[in-house]
Amino acid sequence: MEMLSHDILIVGGGGAGLRAAIAVAEIDPSLNVAVVSKVYPMRSHTVSAEGGAAAVIGPDDSLDDHAYDTISGGDWLPDQDAVEAFVKEAPRELLQMEHWGCPWSRQPDGSVAVRSFGGMKIERTWFASDKTGFHMLHTLFQTSLKYDPIQRYDEWFVTKLLVDDGRCQGVVAIDLATGKVHGIRAKAVIVCTGGCGKVFPFTTNANIKNGDGMALAYRAGVPLKDMEFVQYHPTGLPFTGILITEATRSEGGHLLNKDGYRYLQDYDLGTPEPQPVLRSMELGPRDRLSQAFVKEQEKGRTLQGPYGDYVNLDIRHLGEKIINSKLPFVRELCLKYENIDPVKELIPVRPVVHYMMGGIHTDILGATPLEGLFAAGEVACVSINGANRLGSNSLTELLVFGARVGRAAAEYASRQKGNGAAVAAQAAEEVERIERQYLSGGGKGDKMVDIRQGMHAAMESGAGIYRSKASLQKSAQEISNLQDRIPGIRLDDSSQTFNTELVAAIELSYMLDVAEAIIASASQRTESRGSHQRTDYPDRDDNDFLAHSLAVRKPGAAPTIEYLPVTITRWPPGERVYGR
Amino acid sequence: MAVDSLAGNAAVVAGGEMVTLEVFRYRPEEETEPVYQAYEVPVHKDWVVLDALNHIKDHLDGTLSFRWSCRMGVCGSCGMMVNGDATLTCATFVESLLPGPIRVGPLENFPVVRDLIIEMNDFMEKLESVKPWIIRDEEKSLEDGAYLQTPAQLADFKQFSMCINCLLCYAACPVYGLEPSFTGPAVIALAQRYNLDSRDQGAGERNAILNTDEGIWQCTLVGECSVVCPKDVDPAAAIQRYKVSSTLQWYQKLLMPWSGK
């Protein structure tokens, strides 16, 4: 079959993918780089990030402080060499965004303003009011347009990585507008497809967050690392799961139970003060706050609504002026989607699946164990986030590691010659597989919605904020049963033109593979650390589990789990202390 | 967002109340002409039009095709015509449109790829044509730190930086409907976003592209773009301001031809 060809192919056009593309174009304009994205790049989920991006800027701050906050926030699971590189390169990357036109909020004298954020002991979060991800994504996308070597395949959906001779050499992708399936050769492939929040029923994540890149790599034999670490953000709107940014709390918002009591004081997070205190109470880390909600729920001190239990977030005392200037999007979202005005009313919130700490196993440059395959952003696990990511580290991460992976892939690609004939045959096989499996009408009649809801139920009941051996075993069985039903899915739509049902079916198969890895990794980790809380193993166990899990796919069976020691440089494992 | 799988448990306004959605259908492989197809959808208090479309997709007809992603009004994917108005379907409540029927169609003034999905290549090309990036005579190096920009200077362009590229303004613009060569509201607003940024020096370059009939002068100031904009970008104001500054530049050039750009 006829193959398209590029030097470097980037899968995913969100923040990490665009930053990587620009890095490639800047380091070597002779390289032919293309971005394949299943949505137009400015639709990517980076757009939804609200609060900000962390990097040391003030004279009272230090790289070591940012590193310590990140490492303790991650419950000592982050690799400290990666964290040190991250905090060191972070200020330069955010400054680069400033030069590219990102509308950072400013101090009266015109310098960049920063705000406090959960788990950070010094104010170092750069922000563009409360639409930081939106402004970063549009700035990156618009800036990327000035680089001629960057080509795009907008609304192309990748179904397979092409691997031959131990090297990743391209992808197979569907051009959604025409339905035509293409093979694309590349000397290096960079996966930047984001996370997989949609494996859970209640999530802040957009419809496009299906773990595509994780599953593509997993199927190509690349381990998924630390997949048991799923971040619940403590403040999502009930029903929709719309995120209410942590910036509400850094500006001084309070979390209240049904008695109007700031309940976090009962969970070793400090004592309530009228003004926000860094690394304390509402500015504690997300994992601890979400866990406190569950404990409060067990005590019967949450409120009951039509979409489950909730607590209240109170920002009324900030006043209309601060809310309008610092949190305008929060007000807009509350007014439009909950019909409440946070200037006068309490905001109902509950924990909501938000972010994957785990992902494709990469080294500090973004290279995976599969030669020619790279990854960055939420899809990857370097790891700087460990067992719990701090708010405002992820936007910075996609810049720092997007740039790093672009440079590493450029260096790698410039050393490669063309690729072999075998990938064309593989691509032809994939075209045939898609036709046979999804479009030939051979399904036995399973509706996708049933499988998707089954997956959601299994993940929420078995692999949520608290897990146990029994709950995980049950969910593992359910996910395995659902995987068996994938070949029998019945599609109504056999059209070539923009077949969104076909895309959704393949995404569902991706999500089940990712769900399998999450559950297997959580089952094997018989300790509690950060966001991974086992009711049957409530303590952290540094003897056995100061290590990253690596889930390796075994088709037709549960994945095997291996472990890789955490890299410790200067911060020996200690107690996570907040509010005291 | 979480809505699809919680939908079954959602609070119902009235026991078993249903509403009819009349949805634009066009599948180029099957239909030569578009048709409207009616679907009966349960009424849920918290559902937006997009939730109703997803209900159809999941339970009634898997062939219905539309774009959507964030369901929080920021990705810009789900703009459609609802009862004749260009709107984000994720921000339009079904309850506000009762008793129905609710008519849903693709954004006007664009070719239709299929069903509710429009072809937007023209917009993407126009967006790129106005050089929407910081242009400097001389780039400042990163070692020299950030550009200073006061809150007042930020406020000069901030509003025009809020565009989510949802294309509602193009669907509402009568000029774009008649003259597809017109650059259009969102793209002119974006050009202004950079022109008015204190860090940018590219207004002259962009003026060469925009100070033409296709650029800004076709706009007849109907102002519908600003009415439908879900983010209060106010493209009409951007265009008006552009016209004023272009005219001033024109006079300046006429009276003082030596005065540079």
Side-chain angles (χ1 to χ4, degrees):
Chain A
M1 71 183 289
E2 197 191 332
M3 302 276 287
L4 300 162
S5 184
H6 295 279
D7 292 320
I8 295 178
L9 197 67
I10 299 170
V11 185
L18 293 171
R19 183 66 189 87
I22 294 172
V24 172
E26 290 205 323
I27 198 167
D28 186 352
S30 74
L31 287 170
N32 176 327
V33 55
V35 179
V36 181
S37 172
K38 67 178 177 178
V39 291
Y40 281 93
M42 68 278 186
R43 313 297 189 211
S44 307
H45 190 58
T46 306
V47 84
S48 296
E50 297 172 10
V56 169
I57 177 173
D60 56 339
D61 201 358
S62 75
L63 298 182
D64 278 7
D65 282 331
H66 190 186
Y68 178 80
D69 285 344
T70 301
I71 291 160
S72 58
D75 215 350
W76 272 270
L77 197 65
D79 284 322
Q80 296 181 6
D81 54 345
V83 173
E84 290 193 66
F86 165 70
V87 300
K88 183 160 175 260
E89 291 167 27
R92 188 181 172 87
E93 281 296 326
L94 296 194
L95 190 59
Q96 177 66 74
M97 289 300 296
E98 198 276 331
H99 284 218
W100 283 336
C102 187
W104 297 117
S105 293
R106 302 284 176 154
Q107 311 265 23
D109 71 354
S111 58
V112 171
V114 286
R115 61 170 32 138
S116 54
F117 236 68
M120 302 276 191
K121 78 172 156 208
I122 291 171
E123 296 181 344
R124 61 170 74 96
T125 297
W126 304 36
F127 61 102
S129 63
D130 55 354
K131 282 194 173 177
T132 311
F134 163 80
H135 286 298
M136 279 179 51
L137 182 66
H138 280 252
T139 300
L140 282 167
F141 176 59
Q142 289 156 13
T143 302
S144 79
L145 298 173
K146 78 176 176 183
Y147 295 92
D148 287 335
I150 302 175
Q151 297 179 42
R152 295 202 322 274
Y153 296 94
D154 295 336
E155 301 195 315
W156 284 46
F157 177 65
V158 173
T159 66
K160 185 183 170 65
L161 299 179
L162 296 171
V163 180
D164 183 47
D165 196 21
R167 284 190 293 136
C168 183
Q169 303 187 21
V171 306
V172 175
I174 306 172
D175 173 1
L176 297 182
T178 64
K180 196 156 183 276
V181 186
H182 297 266
I184 312 178
R185 293 177 194 275
K187 293 171 184 165
V189 174
I190 308 175
V191 176
C192 301
T193 57
C196 61
K198 292 298 276 187
V199 304
F200 287 85
F202 188 61
T203 174
T204 61
N205 283 194
N207 185 49
I208 55 174
K209 296 282 296 285
N210 314 103
D212 302 6
M214 294 176 184
L216 288 167
Y218 187 52
R219 290 176 184 183
V222 178
L224 297 183
K225 183 160 76 186
D226 292 341
M227 291 297 283
E228 59 271 46
F229 298 100
V230 178
Q231 177 162 84
Y232 279 74
H233 193 292
T235 59
L237 293 178
F239 180 56
T240 61
I242 289 173
L243 174 71
I244 298 301
T245 172
E246 194 161 302
T248 52
R249 287 172 278 126
S250 55
E251 296 300 333
H254 298 153
L255 281 168
L256 307 175
N257 70 10
K258 70 171 183 172
D259 305 316
Y261 173 72
R262 289 174 69 185
Y263 60 92
L264 294 176
Q265 62 190 286
D266 295 354
Y267 300 97
D268 194 21
L269 284 158
T271 49
E273 303 289 340
Q275 294 304 315
V277 178
L278 295 159
R279 280 182 71 112
S280 173
M281 290 292 292
E282 283 86 358
L283 289 180
R286 292 174 178 173
D287 57 336
R288 296 277 302 276
L289 266 60
S290 291
Q291 290 151 20
F293 173 90
V294 177
K295 297 292 179 197
E296 201 64 6
Q297 192 178 28
E298 286 168 4
K299 290 177 189 164
R301 302 202 300 196
T302 50
L303 296 102
Q304 280 86 47
Y307 306 108
D309 292 353
Y310 67 96
V311 290
N312 283 317
L313 174 62
D314 187 0
I315 60 171
R316 294 172 301 180
H317 52 283
L318 304 182
E320 187 165 6
K321 201 171 155 217
I322 292 280
I323 292 172
N324 284 347
S325 64
K326 299 279 188 67
L327 306 165
F329 194 36
V330 165
R331 192 172 186 196
E332 179 191 330
L333 290 168
C334 287
L335 283 167
K336 266 195 189 150
Y337 292 96
E338 287 286 318
N339 200 24
I340 56 170
D341 184 354
V343 169
K344 296 177 226 144
E345 294 166 280
L346 300 168
I347 309 170
V349 290
R350 58 186 305 237
V352 54
V353 168
H354 184 56
Y355 185 87
M356 280 301 292
M357 271 68 74
I360 301 171
H361 175 37
T362 75
D363 66 14
I364 199 166
L365 298 173
T368 77
L370 174 61
E371 205 184 306
L373 184 70
F374 299 79
E378 188 179 352
V379 74
C381 183
V382 178
S383 134
I384 63 155
N385 299 309
N388 172 64
R389 175 176 69 79
L390 292 190
S392 75
N393 267 352
S394 66
L395 285 177
T396 310
E397 177 182 9
L398 62 80
L399 294 172
V400 168
F401 289 96
R404 278 186 159 238
V405 83
R407 293 191 289 263
E411 196 273 326
Y412 172 85
S414 60
R415 285 189 280 115
Q416 298 300 312
K417 300 199 178 68
N419 45 27
V423 292
Q426 279 184 32
E429 238 171 75
E430 175 67 359
V431 174
E432 201 267 329
R433 179 189 76 93
I434 291 168
E435 176 68 30
R436 185 181 63 233
Q437 185 170 345
Y438 293 106
L439 299 174
S440 61
K444 292 190 294 287
D446 250 323
K447 274 189 91 76
M448 251 194 297
V449 62
D450 296 332
I451 297 177
R452 192 177 70 224
Q453 290 181 348
M455 171 185 72
H456 285 165
M459 295 308 286
E460 184 166 71
S461 64
I465 295 176
Y466 286 93
R467 301 102 180 245
S468 69
K469 183 180 177 187
S471 79
L472 289 161
Q473 268 180 350
K474 187 163 171 288
S475 294
Q477 189 56 53
E478 286 165 5
I479 294 295
S480 169
N481 294 346
L482 293 168
Q483 280 174 319
D484 292 342
R485 288 165 61 185
I486 284 281
I489 281 183
R490 177 177 61 79
L491 294 188
D492 293 344
D493 196 344
S494 56
S495 167
Q496 294 287 306
T497 309
F498 226 108
N499 190 331
T500 53
E501 201 187 21
L502 169 64
V503 172
I506 298 172
E507 287 170 340
L508 182 57
S509 76
Y510 289 160
M511 288 193 283
L512 285 169
D513 282 5
V514 170
E516 167 193 281
I518 292 171
I519 291 171
S521 307
S523 301
Q524 294 284 315
R525 187 175 286 273
T526 51
E527 65 154 357
S528 290
R529 181 186 299 270
S531 65
H532 172 71
Q533 293 292 312
R534 289 281 300 253
T535 53
D536 43 355
Y537 296 93
D539 299 321
R540 193 174 89 186
D541 174 2
D542 286 339
N543 284 330
D544 291 330
F545 289 107
L546 191 61
H548 302 291
S549 63
L550 296 175
V552 180
R553 183 163 178 257
K554 298 286 163 204
T560 57
I561 307 293
E562 296 158 15
Y563 290 94
L564 187 71
V566 170
T567 302
I568 304 283
T569 57
R570 293 190 284 136
W571 295 274
E575 190 194 357
R576 293 174 82 196
V577 178
Y578 293 99
R580 62 181 158 89
Chain B
M1 298 301 100
V3 176
D4 54 353
S5 56
L6 289 177
N9 311 321
V12 176
V13 165
E17 190 186 345
M18 304 291 278
V19 63
T20 303
L21 261 69
E22 296 171 357
V23 185
F24 181 100
R25 299 303 311 274
Y26 173 62
R27 287 159 291 180
E29 293 152 70
E30 291 170 37
E31 285 135 343
T32 49
E33 288 293 316
V35 294
Y36 276 88
Q37 190 167 345
Y39 300 96
E40 294 290 305
V41 174
V43 174
H44 291 284
K45 180 176 166 297
D46 297 309
W47 274 15
V48 292
V49 171
L50 179 62
D51 297 331
L53 292 173
N54 270 315
H55 175 86
I56 295 170
K57 180 97 179 154
D58 279 345
H59 299 284
L60 304 177
D61 184 351
T63 68
L64 179 64
S65 302
F66 47 94
R67 294 186 179 107
W68 74 286
S69 185
C70 77
R71 205 203 173 276
M72 57 189 284
V74 71
C75 79
S77 306
C78 71
M80 300 174 205
M81 306 303 295
V82 176
N83 289 348
D85 296 328
T87 185
L88 293 181
T89 51
C90 78
T92 306
F93 281 84
V94 170
E95 204 180 14
S96 71
L97 303 168
L98 294 179
I102 300 169
R103 191 162 257 243
V104 184
L107 285 180
E108 280 174 9
N109 300 337
F110 292 94
V112 175
V113 178
R114 170 182 177 167
D115 295 344
L116 301 165
I117 296 169
I118 50 114
E119 215 252 80
M120 53 186 276
N121 292 348
D122 178 56
F123 171 79
M124 296 302 287
E125 282 163 19
K126 284 174 175 158
L127 182 139
E128 187 166 349
S129 75
V130 299
K131 306 189 177 187
W133 52 79
I134 295 281
I135 296 172
R136 301 271 311 165
D137 299 337
E138 201 175 324
E139 302 253 350
K140 177 171 166 174
S141 90
L142 290 179
E143 279 63 37
D144 293 335
Y147 294 96
L148 288 180
Q149 183 168 69
T150 64
Q153 288 174 316
L154 175 63
D156 274 345
F157 72 92
K158 185 73 188 291
Q159 182 177 26
F160 300 138
S161 76
M162 302 299 277
C163 172
I164 61 173
N165 300 169
C166 66
L167 310 184
L168 301 193
C169 56
Y170 285 75
C173 174
V175 177
Y176 184 65
L178 293 170
E179 293 291 344
S181 62
F182 176 44
T183 304
V187 169
I188 299 172
L190 181 63
Q192 278 292 58
R193 172 254 174 274
Y194 282 96
N195 289 341
L196 298 172
D197 189 323
S198 56
R199 297 166 290 189
D200 181 80
Q201 299 167 332
E205 269 186 61
R206 288 185 205 99
N207 198 42
I209 301 155
L210 278 171
N211 192 11
T212 61
D213 266 359
E214 293 77 21
I216 51 172
W217 294 105
Q218 279 180 343
C219 170
T220 53
L221 286 180
V222 177
E224 277 302 308
C225 50
S226 295
V227 175
V228 297
C229 178
K231 297 290 146 183
D232 300 324
V233 173
D234 200 357
I239 297 171
Q240 181 60 4
R241 223 171 132 175
Y242 209 112
K243 283 182 173 176
V244 171
S245 63
S246 294
T247 307
L248 285 175
Q249 276 175 32
W250 184 82
Y251 275 114
Q252 202 172 24
K253 228 172 170 175
L254 193 72
L255 301 171
M256 300 179 289
W258 58 88
S259 71
K261 65 174 189 177

PDB file of all heavy atoms in Angstrom, chain B residues 4 26 38-39 48 70 119 137 165 170 179 235-236:
ATOM      1  N   ASP B   4     -22.489  11.007  30.319  1.00  0.00           N
ATOM      2  CA  ASP B   4     -23.097   9.919  29.553  1.00  0.00           C
ATOM      3  C   ASP B   4     -23.499   8.736  30.408  1.00  0.00           C
ATOM      4  O   ASP B   4     -24.570   8.191  30.244  1.00  0.00           O
ATOM      5  CB  ASP B   4     -22.184   9.494  28.400  1.00  0.00           C
ATOM      6  CG  ASP B   4     -20.800   9.134  28.844  1.00  0.00           C
ATOM      7  OD1 ASP B   4     -20.486   9.332  30.045  1.00  0.00           O
ATOM      8  OD2 ASP B   4     -20.027   8.661  28.026  1.00  0.00           O
ATOM      9  N   TYR B  26     -27.349  14.212   7.046  1.00  0.00           N
ATOM     10  CA  TYR B  26     -26.814  14.158   5.692  1.00  0.00           C
ATOM     11  C   TYR B  26     -25.630  13.208   5.670  1.00  0.00           C
ATOM     12  O   TYR B  26     -24.613  13.452   6.309  1.00  0.00           O
ATOM     13  CB  TYR B  26     -26.376  15.549   5.209  1.00  0.00           C
ATOM     14  CG  TYR B  26     -25.652  15.510   3.885  1.00  0.00           C
ATOM     15  CD1 TYR B  26     -26.299  15.037   2.737  1.00  0.00           C
ATOM     16  CD2 TYR B  26     -24.324  15.891   3.782  1.00  0.00           C
ATOM     17  CE1 TYR B  26     -25.630  14.957   1.529  1.00  0.00           C
ATOM     18  CE2 TYR B  26     -23.651  15.818   2.567  1.00  0.00           C
ATOM     19  CZ  TYR B  26     -24.299  15.352   1.447  1.00  0.00           C
ATOM     20  OH  TYR B  26     -23.642  15.271   0.247  1.00  0.00           O
ATOM     21  N   ALA B  38     -36.555  12.807  13.163  1.00  0.00           N
ATOM     22  CA  ALA B  38     -37.094  13.083  14.503  1.00  0.00           C
ATOM     23  C   ALA B  38     -36.729  11.966  15.478  1.00  0.00           C
ATOM     24  O   ALA B  38     -36.770  10.777  15.132  1.00  0.00           O
ATOM     25  CB  ALA B  38     -38.605  13.228  14.419  1.00  0.00           C
ATOM     26  N   TYR B  39     -36.320  12.363  16.678  1.00  0.00           N
ATOM     27  CA  TYR B  39     -36.023  11.405  17.750  1.00  0.00           C
ATOM     28  C   TYR B  39     -36.748  11.846  19.012  1.00  0.00           C
ATOM     29  O   TYR B  39     -36.780  13.037  19.326  1.00  0.00           O
ATOM     30  CB  TYR B  39     -34.520  11.368  18.048  1.00  0.00           C
ATOM     31  CG  TYR B  39     -33.639  10.973  16.892  1.00  0.00           C
ATOM     32  CD1 TYR B  39     -33.027  11.943  16.102  1.00  0.00           C
ATOM     33  CD2 TYR B  39     -33.390   9.637  16.603  1.00  0.00           C
ATOM     34  CE1 TYR B  39     -32.196  11.592  15.055  1.00  0.00           C
ATOM     35  CE2 TYR B  39     -32.557   9.279  15.548  1.00  0.00           C
ATOM     36  CZ  TYR B  39     -31.958  10.261  14.781  1.00  0.00           C
ATOM     37  OH  TYR B  39     -31.129   9.911  13.745  1.00  0.00           O
ATOM     38  N   VAL B  48     -28.196  19.250  28.775  1.00  0.00           N
ATOM     39  CA  VAL B  48     -28.049  20.226  27.705  1.00  0.00           C
ATOM     40  C   VAL B  48     -28.348  19.512  26.388  1.00  0.00           C
ATOM     41  O   VAL B  48     -28.464  18.279  26.351  1.00  0.00           O
ATOM     42  CB  VAL B  48     -26.623  20.828  27.706  1.00  0.00           C
ATOM     43  CG1 VAL B  48     -26.410  21.685  28.942  1.00  0.00           C
ATOM     44  CG2 VAL B  48     -25.568  19.738  27.608  1.00  0.00           C
ATOM     45  N   CYS B  70     -15.214  18.793  25.394  1.00  0.00           N
ATOM     46  CA  CYS B  70     -15.004  19.124  26.823  1.00  0.00           C
ATOM     47  C   CYS B  70     -16.292  19.211  27.635  1.00  0.00           C
ATOM     48  O   CYS B  70     -16.294  19.002  28.826  1.00  0.00           O
ATOM     49  CB  CYS B  70     -14.222  20.431  26.955  1.00  0.00           C
ATOM     50  SG  CYS B  70     -15.193  21.926  26.675  1.00  0.00           S
ATOM     51  N   GLU B 119     -17.429  21.505   7.523  1.00  0.00           N
ATOM     52  CA  GLU B 119     -16.060  21.551   7.011  1.00  0.00           C
ATOM     53  C   GLU B 119     -15.460  22.889   7.408  1.00  0.00           C
ATOM     54  O   GLU B 119     -16.052  23.930   7.123  1.00  0.00           O
ATOM     55  CB  GLU B 119     -16.141  21.431   5.494  1.00  0.00           C
ATOM     56  CG  GLU B 119     -15.003  20.665   4.892  1.00  0.00           C
ATOM     57  CD  GLU B 119     -14.067  21.566   4.150  1.00  0.00           C
ATOM     58  OE1 GLU B 119     -13.243  22.194   4.842  1.00  0.00           O
ATOM     59  OE2 GLU B 119     -14.173  21.640   2.927  1.00  0.00           O
ATOM     60  N   ASP B 137      10.569  42.930  15.629  1.00  0.00           N
ATOM     61  CA  ASP B 137      11.673  43.341  14.779  1.00  0.00           C
ATOM     62  C   ASP B 137      12.941  42.644  15.248  1.00  0.00           C
ATOM     63  O   ASP B 137      13.756  42.185  14.474  1.00  0.00           O
ATOM     64  CB  ASP B 137      11.878  44.865  14.841  1.00  0.00           C
ATOM     65  CG  ASP B 137      10.629  45.598  14.361  1.00  0.00           C
ATOM     66  OD1 ASP B 137       9.842  44.970  13.612  1.00  0.00           O
ATOM     67  OD2 ASP B 137      10.426  46.760  14.749  1.00  0.00           O
ATOM     68  N   ASN B 165     -12.612  29.651  19.042  1.00  0.00           N
ATOM     69  CA  ASN B 165     -12.706  29.155  17.650  1.00  0.00           C
ATOM     70  C   ASN B 165     -13.928  28.254  17.432  1.00  0.00           C
ATOM     71  O   ASN B 165     -13.874  27.267  16.702  1.00  0.00           O
ATOM     72  CB  ASN B 165     -11.445  28.356  17.254  1.00  0.00           C
ATOM     73  CG  ASN B 165     -10.161  29.161  17.323  1.00  0.00           C
ATOM     74  OD1 ASN B 165      -9.081  28.600  17.235  1.00  0.00           O
ATOM     75  ND2 ASN B 165     -10.244  30.481  17.485  1.00  0.00           N
ATOM     76  N   TYR B 170     -19.179  32.981  12.641  1.00  0.00           N
ATOM     77  CA  TYR B 170     -19.231  32.808  11.184  1.00  0.00           C
ATOM     78  C   TYR B 170     -20.618  32.334  10.754  1.00  0.00           C
ATOM     79  O   TYR B 170     -21.110  32.714   9.694  1.00  0.00           O
ATOM     80  CB  TYR B 170     -18.152  31.818  10.708  1.00  0.00           C
ATOM     81  CG  TYR B 170     -16.783  32.442  10.722  1.00  0.00           C
ATOM     82  CD1 TYR B 170     -16.109  32.632  11.924  1.00  0.00           C
ATOM     83  CD2 TYR B 170     -16.175  32.884   9.557  1.00  0.00           C
ATOM     84  CE1 TYR B 170     -14.867  33.241  11.961  1.00  0.00           C
ATOM     85  CE2 TYR B 170     -14.936  33.484   9.579  1.00  0.00           C
ATOM     86  CZ  TYR B 170     -14.285  33.665  10.779  1.00  0.00           C
ATOM     87  OH  TYR B 170     -13.070  34.277  10.803  1.00  0.00           O
ATOM     88  N   GLU B 179     -20.383  36.203   1.130  1.00  0.00           N
ATOM     89  CA  GLU B 179     -19.041  36.378   0.568  1.00  0.00           C
ATOM     90  C   GLU B 179     -18.044  35.512   1.340  1.00  0.00           C
ATOM     91  O   GLU B 179     -17.376  35.985   2.260  1.00  0.00           O
ATOM     92  CB  GLU B 179     -18.600  37.849   0.683  1.00  0.00           C
ATOM     93  CG  GLU B 179     -19.398  38.807  -0.161  1.00  0.00           C
ATOM     94  CD  GLU B 179     -19.139  38.613  -1.653  1.00  0.00           C
ATOM     95  OE1 GLU B 179     -18.131  37.956  -2.004  1.00  0.00           O
ATOM     96  OE2 GLU B 179     -19.947  39.096  -2.456  1.00  0.00           O
ATOM     97  N   PRO B 235     -16.212  40.443  18.637  1.00  0.00           N
ATOM     98  CA  PRO B 235     -15.475  40.631  17.380  1.00  0.00           C
ATOM     99  C   PRO B 235     -15.886  41.905  16.656  1.00  0.00           C
ATOM    100  O   PRO B 235     -15.048  42.536  15.990  1.00  0.00           O
ATOM    101  CB  PRO B 235     -15.853  39.402  16.543  1.00  0.00           C
ATOM    102  CG  PRO B 235     -16.489  38.436  17.471  1.00  0.00           C
ATOM    103  CD  PRO B 235     -16.994  39.196  18.651  1.00  0.00           C
ATOM    104  N   ALA B 236     -17.148  42.302  16.786  1.00  0.00           N
ATOM    105  CA  ALA B 236     -17.594  43.519  16.081  1.00  0.00           C
ATOM    106  C   ALA B 236     -16.782  44.720  16.534  1.00  0.00           C
ATOM    107  O   ALA B 236     -16.404  45.578  15.726  1.00  0.00           O
ATOM    108  CB  ALA B 236     -19.084  43.748  16.325  1.00  0.00           C
TER     109      ALA B 236
END
